[in-house]
Amino acid sequence: KDDLAVALAAIQQDCFLLEFASDALRDDCRVVLSAVRRDWRALQFAGGAMRNNREVVLTAVRQDWSALQFAEEAMCADREV
């Protein structure tokens, strides 16, 4: 639940396991990017800081603009996103 290596390995198998990661891991850019690169819908399980992270949100939005529904409001107002 709070082990970075275990979380990264699990997310490689199923990106939606991000939902069960600790709060710290759900706010870890490496973990969240790994999940979102596999499927943009994993953004819904990211911590608030990652849902407000331009790189993470852009990674998701490049797959499907619907990812904006899971982004923080500030990211939705960002013209680059």
Coordinates of all heavy atoms in Angstrom, one line a residue:
K1 N 0.8 -1.2 0.0 CA 0.0 0.0 0.0 C 0.9 1.3 0.0 O 0.5 2.3 -0.6 CB -0.9 0.0 1.2 CG -1.9 1.1 1.2 CD -3.0 1.0 2.2 CE -3.8 2.2 2.2 NZ -5.1 2.1 2.7
D2 N 2.0 1.2 0.6 CA 2.9 2.4 0.7 C 4.3 2.1 0.2 O 5.2 2.8 0.6 CB 2.9 2.9 2.1 CG 3.3 4.4 2.2 OD1 3.1 5.1 1.2 OD2 3.8 4.9 3.2
D3 N 4.5 1.1 -0.5 CA 5.8 0.7 -1.0 C 5.9 1.0 -2.5 O 5.1 0.5 -3.3 CB 6.0 -0.8 -0.8 CG 7.4 -1.3 -1.3 OD1 7.7 -1.2 -2.5 OD2 8.1 -1.8 -0.4
L4 N 6.8 1.9 -2.8 CA 6.9 2.5 -4.2 C 7.1 1.4 -5.2 O 6.5 1.3 -6.2 CB 8.0 3.5 -4.3 CG 8.3 4.1 -5.6 CD1 7.1 4.8 -6.2 CD2 9.5 5.0 -5.6
A5 N 8.1 0.5 -5.0 CA 8.4 -0.6 -5.9 C 7.2 -1.5 -6.2 O 6.9 -1.9 -7.3 CB 9.6 -1.4 -5.5
V6 N 6.5 -1.8 -5.1 CA 5.4 -2.7 -5.2 C 4.3 -2.0 -5.9 O 3.6 -2.6 -6.8 CB 4.9 -3.2 -3.8 CG1 3.5 -3.9 -3.9 CG2 5.9 -4.1 -3.1
A7 N 4.1 -0.7 -5.6 CA 3.0 0.0 -6.3 C 3.3 0.1 -7.8 O 2.4 -0.1 -8.6 CB 2.9 1.4 -5.7
L8 N 4.5 0.4 -8.2 CA 4.9 0.6 -9.6 C 4.7 -0.8 -10.3 O 4.2 -0.8 -11.5 CB 6.3 1.1 -9.8 CG 6.5 2.6 -9.5 CD1 8.0 2.9 -9.4 CD2 5.7 3.4 -10.4
A9 N 5.1 -1.9 -9.7 CA 4.9 -3.2 -10.3 C 3.4 -3.5 -10.5 O 3.0 -4.0 -11.5 CB 5.6 -4.2 -9.5
A10 N 2.6 -3.2 -9.5 CA 1.2 -3.5 -9.5 C 0.5 -2.7 -10.6 O -0.3 -3.2 -11.4 CB 0.5 -3.2 -8.2
I11 N 0.9 -1.4 -10.7 CA 0.3 -0.5 -11.7 C 0.6 -0.9 -13.1 O -0.1 -0.7 -14.0 CB 0.6 0.9 -11.3 CG1 -0.2 1.3 -10.1 CG2 0.4 1.9 -12.5 CD1 0.2 2.6 -9.5
Q12 N 1.8 -1.6 -13.3 CA 2.2 -2.1 -14.6 C 1.2 -3.2 -15.0 O 1.0 -3.4 -16.2 CB 3.6 -2.6 -14.6 CG 4.6 -1.4 -14.6 CD 4.5 -0.5 -15.7 OE1 4.4 -0.8 -16.9 NE2 4.4 0.8 -15.4
Q13 N 0.7 -3.9 -14.1 CA -0.2 -5.0 -14.4 C -1.7 -4.5 -14.5 O -2.4 -4.9 -15.4 CB -0.2 -6.0 -13.2 CG 1.1 -6.7 -13.1 CD 1.6 -7.4 -14.3 OE1 0.8 -8.2 -14.9 NE2 2.8 -7.2 -14.8
D14 N -2.0 -3.5 -13.7 CA -3.4 -2.9 -13.7 C -3.3 -1.5 -13.2 O -3.2 -1.3 -12.0 CB -4.3 -3.8 -12.8 CG -5.8 -3.3 -12.8 OD1 -6.1 -2.2 -13.4 OD2 -6.6 -4.0 -12.3
C15 N -3.4 -0.6 -14.0 CA -3.3 0.8 -13.6 C -4.4 1.3 -12.7 O -4.2 2.3 -11.9 CB -3.3 1.8 -14.9 SG -4.8 1.7 -15.8
F16 N -5.5 0.6 -12.7 CA -6.6 1.0 -11.8 C -6.3 0.6 -10.3 O -7.1 1.0 -9.4 CB -7.9 0.5 -12.3 CG -8.3 1.1 -13.6 CD1 -8.3 0.3 -14.7 CD2 -8.6 2.4 -13.7 CE1 -8.6 0.8 -16.0 CE2 -8.9 2.9 -15.0 CZ -8.9 2.1 -16.1
L17 N -5.3 -0.1 -10.1 CA -4.9 -0.4 -8.7 C -4.4 0.8 -8.0 O -4.3 0.8 -6.7 CB -3.8 -1.5 -8.6 CG -4.3 -2.9 -9.0 CD1 -3.1 -3.9 -9.1 CD2 -5.4 -3.4 -8.1
L18 N -4.2 1.9 -8.7 CA -3.8 3.2 -8.1 C -4.9 3.6 -7.0 O -4.5 4.2 -6.0 CB -3.7 4.3 -9.1 CG -3.4 5.7 -8.7 CD1 -2.0 5.7 -8.0 CD2 -3.4 6.7 -9.8
E19 N -6.1 3.2 -7.2 CA -7.2 3.5 -6.3 C -6.8 3.0 -4.9 O -7.2 3.6 -3.9 CB -8.5 2.8 -6.7 CG -9.6 3.0 -5.8 CD -10.9 2.4 -6.3 OE1 -10.9 1.6 -7.3 OE2 -12.0 2.6 -5.7
F20 N -6.1 1.9 -4.8 CA -5.8 1.3 -3.5 C -4.4 1.7 -2.9 O -4.1 1.2 -1.8 CB -5.9 -0.2 -3.6 CG -7.3 -0.6 -4.1 CD1 -7.4 -1.1 -5.4 CD2 -8.4 -0.5 -3.3 CE1 -8.7 -1.4 -5.9 CE2 -9.7 -0.9 -3.8 CZ -9.8 -1.3 -5.1
A21 N -3.7 2.5 -3.6 CA -2.4 3.0 -3.1 C -2.6 4.0 -2.0 O -3.7 4.6 -1.8 CB -1.6 3.6 -4.2
S22 N -1.6 4.1 -1.2 CA -1.6 5.1 -0.1 C -1.8 6.5 -0.7 O -1.5 6.8 -1.8 CB -0.4 5.0 0.8 OG 0.7 5.5 0.0
D23 N -2.2 7.4 0.2 CA -2.3 8.8 -0.2 C -1.0 9.4 -0.7 O -0.9 10.1 -1.7 CB -2.8 9.7 0.9 CG -4.2 9.5 1.3 OD1 -5.0 8.8 0.4 OD2 -4.7 9.9 2.4
A24 N 0.1 9.0 -0.1 CA 1.5 9.4 -0.5 C 1.8 9.0 -1.9 O 2.3 9.7 -2.7 CB 2.5 9.0 0.5
L25 N 1.5 7.7 -2.2 CA 1.8 7.2 -3.5 C 0.8 7.8 -4.6 O 1.2 7.9 -5.7 CB 1.7 5.7 -3.5 CG 2.8 5.0 -2.8 CD1 2.6 3.5 -2.7 CD2 4.2 5.3 -3.4
R26 N -0.4 8.1 -4.2 CA -1.3 8.7 -5.2 C -1.0 10.1 -5.5 O -1.5 10.7 -6.4 CB -2.8 8.6 -4.6 CG -3.2 7.1 -4.6 CD -4.5 6.9 -3.9 NE -5.5 8.0 -4.3 CZ -6.6 8.1 -3.6 NH1 -7.0 7.3 -2.6 NH2 -7.5 9.0 -4.0
D27 N 0.0 10.7 -4.7 CA 0.5 12.0 -5.0 C 2.0 11.9 -5.4 O 2.7 13.0 -5.5 CB 0.4 12.9 -3.7 CG -0.9 13.7 -3.7 OD1 -1.4 14.0 -4.8 OD2 -1.5 13.9 -2.6
D28 N 2.4 10.8 -5.8 CA 3.8 10.6 -6.3 C 3.7 10.6 -7.8 O 3.0 9.8 -8.4 CB 4.3 9.2 -5.8 CG 5.8 9.0 -6.2 OD1 6.1 8.9 -7.4 OD2 6.7 9.0 -5.3
C29 N 4.5 11.5 -8.4 CA 4.4 11.7 -9.8 C 4.8 10.5 -10.6 O 4.2 10.2 -11.6 CB 5.3 12.9 -10.2 SG 5.0 13.5 -11.9
R30 N 5.8 9.7 -10.2 CA 6.2 8.5 -10.9 C 5.1 7.5 -10.9 O 4.9 6.9 -12.0 CB 7.5 7.9 -10.2 CG 8.7 8.8 -10.3 CD 9.8 8.3 -9.3 NE 9.3 8.5 -8.0 CZ 10.0 8.2 -6.9 NH1 11.2 7.7 -7.0 NH2 9.5 8.4 -5.7
V31 N 4.4 7.3 -9.8 CA 3.4 6.3 -9.7 C 2.2 6.7 -10.6 O 1.7 6.0 -11.4 CB 2.9 6.1 -8.2 CG1 1.7 5.2 -8.1 CG2 4.1 5.6 -7.4
V32 N 1.8 8.0 -10.4 CA 0.6 8.5 -11.2 C 0.8 8.5 -12.7 O 0.0 8.1 -13.5 CB 0.1 9.8 -10.6 CG1 -1.0 10.4 -11.4 CG2 -0.3 9.7 -9.1
L33 N 2.0 9.0 -13.1 CA 2.3 9.0 -14.5 C 2.3 7.6 -15.1 O 1.9 7.4 -16.2 CB 3.6 9.7 -14.8 CG 3.6 11.2 -14.9 CD1 5.0 11.8 -15.0 CD2 2.8 11.6 -16.1
S34 N 2.9 6.7 -14.3 CA 2.9 5.3 -14.8 C 1.5 4.8 -15.0 O 1.2 4.1 -16.0 CB 3.6 4.4 -13.7 OG 3.6 3.1 -14.2
A35 N 0.6 5.1 -14.1 CA -0.8 4.6 -14.3 C -1.5 5.4 -15.4 O -2.2 4.7 -16.3 CB -1.6 4.9 -13.0
V36 N -1.4 6.7 -15.5 CA -2.1 7.5 -16.5 C -1.6 7.2 -17.9 O -2.3 7.3 -18.8 CB -2.0 9.0 -16.1 CG1 -2.5 9.9 -17.2 CG2 -2.8 9.3 -14.8
R37 N -0.3 6.9 -18.0 CA 0.2 6.5 -19.3 C -0.4 5.2 -19.9 O -0.6 5.1 -21.1 CB 1.8 6.3 -19.3 CG 2.5 7.6 -19.2 CD 4.0 7.4 -19.2 NE 4.7 8.7 -19.1 CZ 5.7 9.0 -18.3 NH1 6.1 8.1 -17.4 NH2 6.2 10.2 -18.3
R38 N -0.8 4.4 -19.0 CA -1.5 3.1 -19.4 C -2.9 3.4 -19.7 O -3.5 2.7 -20.6 CB -1.3 2.1 -18.3 CG 0.1 1.6 -18.1 CD 0.3 0.5 -17.1 NE -0.4 -0.7 -17.4 CZ 0.0 -1.6 -18.3 NH1 1.1 -1.4 -18.9 NH2 -0.7 -2.7 -18.5
D39 N -3.6 4.2 -18.9 CA -5.0 4.5 -19.2 C -5.3 5.9 -18.5 O -5.2 6.0 -17.3 CB -5.9 3.4 -18.6 CG -7.3 3.5 -19.1 OD1 -7.9 4.6 -19.0 OD2 -7.9 2.5 -19.6
W40 N -5.8 6.8 -19.3 CA -6.1 8.1 -18.8 C -7.1 8.1 -17.6 O -7.1 9.0 -16.8 CB -6.7 9.0 -19.9 CG -8.0 8.6 -20.5 CD1 -8.1 7.7 -21.6 CD2 -9.3 8.9 -20.1 NE1 -9.5 7.5 -21.8 CE2 -10.2 8.3 -20.9 CE3 -9.8 9.7 -19.1 CZ2 -11.6 8.4 -20.8 CZ3 -11.2 9.9 -18.9 CH2 -12.0 9.2 -19.8
R41 N -8.0 7.1 -17.6 CA -9.0 7.0 -16.5 C -8.4 6.8 -15.2 O -9.1 7.1 -14.1 CB -10.0 6.0 -16.9 CG -10.9 6.3 -18.1 CD -11.7 5.2 -18.6 NE -10.8 4.0 -19.0 CZ -11.3 2.9 -19.3 NH1 -12.6 2.6 -19.3 NH2 -10.4 1.9 -19.6
A42 N -7.2 6.4 -15.1 CA -6.5 6.3 -13.8 C -6.4 7.6 -13.1 O -6.2 7.7 -11.8 CB -5.2 5.6 -13.9
L43 N -6.5 8.7 -13.8 CA -6.4 10.0 -13.2 C -7.4 10.2 -12.1 O -7.1 10.9 -11.2 CB -6.5 11.1 -14.3 CG -6.4 12.6 -13.9 CD1 -5.0 12.8 -13.3 CD2 -6.6 13.5 -15.0
Q44 N -8.5 9.6 -12.2 CA -9.6 9.7 -11.2 C -9.1 9.3 -9.8 O -9.7 9.7 -8.8 CB -10.9 9.0 -11.6 CG -10.7 7.5 -11.6 CD -12.0 6.8 -12.2 OE1 -13.1 7.0 -11.7 NE2 -11.8 6.1 -13.3
F45 N -8.1 8.4 -9.8 CA -7.6 7.9 -8.5 C -6.4 8.6 -8.0 O -5.9 8.3 -6.9 CB -7.3 6.4 -8.6 CG -8.5 5.6 -9.1 CD1 -8.5 4.9 -10.2 CD2 -9.7 5.6 -8.3 CE1 -9.6 4.2 -10.7 CE2 -10.8 4.9 -8.7 CZ -10.8 4.2 -9.9
A46 N -5.9 9.6 -8.8 CA -4.7 10.3 -8.4 C -5.0 11.3 -7.2 O -6.2 11.7 -7.1 CB -4.2 11.1 -9.6
G47 N -4.0 11.6 -6.4 CA -4.2 12.6 -5.4 C -4.4 14.0 -6.0 O -4.1 14.2 -7.2
G48 N -4.9 14.9 -5.2 CA -5.2 16.3 -5.6 C -4.0 17.0 -6.2 O -4.2 17.7 -7.3
A49 N -2.8 16.8 -5.7 CA -1.6 17.4 -6.2 C -1.4 16.9 -7.7 O -1.0 17.7 -8.5 CB -0.4 17.2 -5.3
M50 N -1.6 15.7 -7.9 CA -1.3 15.1 -9.2 C -2.4 15.5 -10.2 O -2.2 15.6 -11.4 CB -1.2 13.6 -9.2 CG 0.1 13.2 -8.5 SD 1.6 13.7 -9.3 CE 2.0 15.2 -8.4
R51 N -3.7 15.7 -9.7 CA -4.7 16.1 -10.6 C -4.6 17.6 -10.9 O -5.3 18.2 -11.8 CB -6.1 15.9 -10.0 CG -6.4 14.4 -9.9 CD -7.9 14.1 -9.5 NE -8.4 15.0 -8.5 CZ -8.4 14.7 -7.2 NH1 -7.9 13.6 -6.8 NH2 -9.0 15.6 -6.4
N52 N -3.6 18.2 -10.3 CA -3.3 19.7 -10.5 C -1.9 19.8 -11.1 O -1.4 20.9 -11.2 CB -3.4 20.5 -9.2 CG -3.6 21.9 -9.5 OD1 -4.3 22.3 -10.4 ND2 -3.0 22.7 -8.6
N53 N -1.3 18.7 -11.6 CA 0.0 18.7 -12.2 C -0.1 18.7 -13.7 O -0.8 17.8 -14.3 CB 0.7 17.4 -11.7 CG 2.1 17.2 -12.3 OD1 2.2 17.0 -13.5 ND2 3.1 17.3 -11.4
R54 N 0.4 19.7 -14.3 CA 0.3 19.9 -15.8 C 0.7 18.6 -16.6 O 0.1 18.2 -17.5 CB 1.0 21.1 -16.2 CG 0.9 21.3 -17.7 CD 1.6 22.5 -18.2 NE 0.7 23.7 -17.9 CZ 1.2 24.8 -17.4 NH1 2.5 25.0 -17.2 NH2 0.4 25.8 -17.1
E55 N 1.9 18.1 -16.2 CA 2.4 16.9 -17.0 C 1.5 15.7 -16.9 O 1.2 15.1 -17.9 CB 3.8 16.5 -16.4 CG 4.4 15.4 -17.2 CD 5.8 14.9 -16.6 OE1 6.2 15.4 -15.6 OE2 6.4 14.0 -17.3
V56 N 1.0 15.5 -15.7 CA 0.1 14.3 -15.5 C -1.2 14.6 -16.2 O -1.7 13.7 -17.0 CB -0.2 14.1 -14.0 CG1 -1.3 13.1 -13.8 CG2 1.0 13.7 -13.3
V57 N -1.8 15.8 -16.1 CA -3.1 16.0 -16.8 C -2.9 16.0 -18.3 O -3.8 15.5 -19.0 CB -3.7 17.4 -16.3 CG1 -4.9 17.8 -17.1 CG2 -4.0 17.3 -14.8
L58 N -1.8 16.6 -18.8 CA -1.6 16.6 -20.2 C -1.4 15.2 -20.8 O -1.9 14.8 -21.9 CB -0.4 17.4 -20.6 CG -0.6 18.9 -20.7 CD1 0.7 19.6 -20.9 CD2 -1.5 19.3 -21.8
T59 N -0.8 14.3 -20.0 CA -0.6 12.9 -20.4 C -2.0 12.3 -20.6 O -2.2 11.5 -21.5 CB 0.2 12.2 -19.4 OG1 1.5 12.8 -19.3 CG2 0.4 10.7 -19.7
A60 N -2.9 12.5 -19.6 CA -4.2 12.0 -19.7 C -5.0 12.6 -20.8 O -5.7 11.9 -21.6 CB -4.9 12.2 -18.4
V61 N -5.0 13.9 -21.0 CA -5.8 14.6 -22.0 C -5.4 14.3 -23.4 O -6.2 14.2 -24.3 CB -5.7 16.1 -21.7 CG1 -6.3 16.9 -22.9 CG2 -6.5 16.5 -20.4
R62 N -4.1 14.0 -23.6 CA -3.6 13.6 -24.9 C -4.2 12.3 -25.3 O -4.4 12.0 -26.5 CB -2.1 13.5 -24.9 CG -1.5 14.9 -24.9 CD 0.1 14.8 -25.0 NE 0.6 16.1 -25.0 CZ 1.6 16.5 -24.2 NH1 2.1 15.6 -23.3 NH2 2.0 17.7 -24.2
Q63 N -4.7 11.5 -24.4 CA -5.3 10.2 -24.7 C -6.8 10.4 -25.0 O -7.4 9.8 -25.9 CB -5.2 9.2 -23.6 CG -3.7 8.7 -23.4 CD -3.6 7.9 -22.2 OE1 -4.4 6.9 -22.0 NE2 -2.7 8.2 -21.3
D64 N -7.4 11.3 -24.1 CA -8.9 11.6 -24.3 C -9.2 12.8 -23.5 O -8.8 13.0 -22.3 CB -9.7 10.4 -23.7 CG -11.1 10.5 -24.0 OD1 -11.7 11.6 -23.9 OD2 -11.7 9.5 -24.5
W65 N -9.8 13.8 -24.2 CA -10.1 15.1 -23.6 C -11.0 14.9 -22.4 O -11.1 15.8 -21.5 CB -10.6 16.1 -24.6 CG -12.0 15.7 -25.1 CD1 -12.2 14.9 -26.2 CD2 -13.2 15.9 -24.5 NE1 -13.6 14.7 -26.4 CE2 -14.2 15.3 -25.4 CE3 -13.7 16.6 -23.4 CZ2 -15.6 15.4 -25.1 CZ3 -15.0 16.7 -23.2 CH2 -16.0 16.1 -24.0
S66 N -11.7 13.8 -22.3 CA -12.6 13.6 -21.2 C -11.9 13.5 -19.8 O -12.5 13.6 -18.8 CB -13.4 12.3 -21.4 OG -14.2 12.3 -22.5
A67 N -10.6 13.3 -19.9 CA -9.8 13.3 -18.7 C -9.9 14.5 -17.9 O -9.7 14.5 -16.6 CB -8.3 13.0 -19.0
L68 N -10.3 15.6 -18.5 CA -10.4 16.9 -17.8 C -11.5 16.8 -16.7 O -11.4 17.6 -15.7 CB -10.8 18.0 -18.8 CG -9.7 18.6 -19.6 CD1 -10.2 19.6 -20.6 CD2 -8.6 19.2 -18.7
Q69 N -12.4 15.9 -16.8 CA -13.4 15.7 -15.7 C -12.7 15.3 -14.4 O -13.3 15.6 -13.3 CB -14.5 14.7 -16.1 CG -14.0 13.3 -16.2 CD -15.0 12.3 -16.7 OE1 -16.1 12.3 -16.2 NE2 -14.7 11.5 -17.7
F70 N -11.6 14.7 -14.4 CA -10.9 14.3 -13.2 C -9.8 15.3 -12.8 O -9.2 15.1 -11.7 CB -10.3 12.9 -13.4 CG -11.3 11.9 -13.8 CD1 -11.1 11.2 -15.0 CD2 -12.4 11.6 -13.0 CE1 -12.1 10.2 -15.3 CE2 -13.3 10.7 -13.3 CZ -13.2 10.0 -14.5
A71 N -9.5 16.3 -13.6 CA -8.5 17.3 -13.3 C -9.0 18.3 -12.3 O -10.2 18.5 -12.2 CB -8.0 18.0 -14.5
E72 N -8.1 18.9 -11.6 CA -8.5 20.0 -10.7 C -9.0 21.2 -11.6 O -8.6 21.4 -12.7 CB -7.3 20.5 -9.8 CG -6.9 19.4 -8.8 CD -8.0 19.3 -7.7 OE1 -8.6 20.2 -7.3 OE2 -8.1 18.1 -7.2
E73 N -9.8 22.1 -11.0 CA -10.4 23.2 -11.7 C -9.3 24.1 -12.4 O -9.5 24.5 -13.5 CB -11.3 24.0 -10.8 CG -12.2 25.0 -11.5 CD -13.2 25.6 -10.6 OE1 -13.7 25.0 -9.7 OE2 -13.4 26.8 -10.8
A74 N -8.2 24.3 -11.7 CA -7.2 25.2 -12.2 C -6.6 24.6 -13.5 O -6.2 25.4 -14.4 CB -6.1 25.3 -11.2
M75 N -6.5 23.3 -13.6 CA -6.0 22.7 -14.8 C -7.0 22.8 -16.0 O -6.6 23.0 -17.1 CB -5.7 21.2 -14.6 CG -4.5 20.9 -13.9 SD -3.0 21.2 -14.8 CE -2.5 22.8 -14.2
C76 N -8.3 22.8 -15.7 CA -9.3 23.0 -16.7 C -9.2 24.4 -17.3 O -9.5 24.6 -18.5 CB -10.7 22.7 -16.2 SG -10.9 21.0 -15.7
A77 N -8.8 25.4 -16.5 CA -8.6 26.7 -17.0 C -7.3 27.0 -17.7 O -7.2 28.1 -18.3 CB -8.8 27.7 -15.8
D78 N -6.4 26.1 -17.6 CA -5.1 26.3 -18.2 C -5.2 26.1 -19.7 O -5.5 25.0 -20.2 CB -4.1 25.2 -17.6 CG -2.7 25.4 -18.0 OD1 -2.4 25.8 -19.2 OD2 -1.8 25.1 -17.2
R79 N -4.8 27.1 -20.5 CA -5.0 27.1 -21.9 C -4.1 26.1 -22.6 O -4.4 25.6 -23.7 CB -4.7 28.5 -22.5 CG -5.8 29.4 -22.2 CD -5.6 30.7 -23.0 NE -6.7 31.6 -22.7 CZ -7.9 31.7 -23.4 NH1 -8.1 30.8 -24.4 NH2 -8.8 32.5 -23.1
E80 N -2.9 25.7 -22.0 CA -2.0 24.7 -22.5 C -2.6 23.3 -22.4 O -2.3 22.4 -23.2 CB -0.7 24.7 -21.8 CG 0.1 26.0 -22.2 CD 1.5 25.9 -21.6 OE1 2.1 24.8 -21.6 OE2 2.0 27.0 -21.2
V81 N -3.5 23.1 -21.5 CA -4.2 21.8 -21.3 C -5.3 21.7 -22.2 O -5.6 20.9 -22.9 CB -4.6 21.6 -19.8 CG1 -5.4 20.3 -19.7 CG2 -3.4 21.6 -18.9

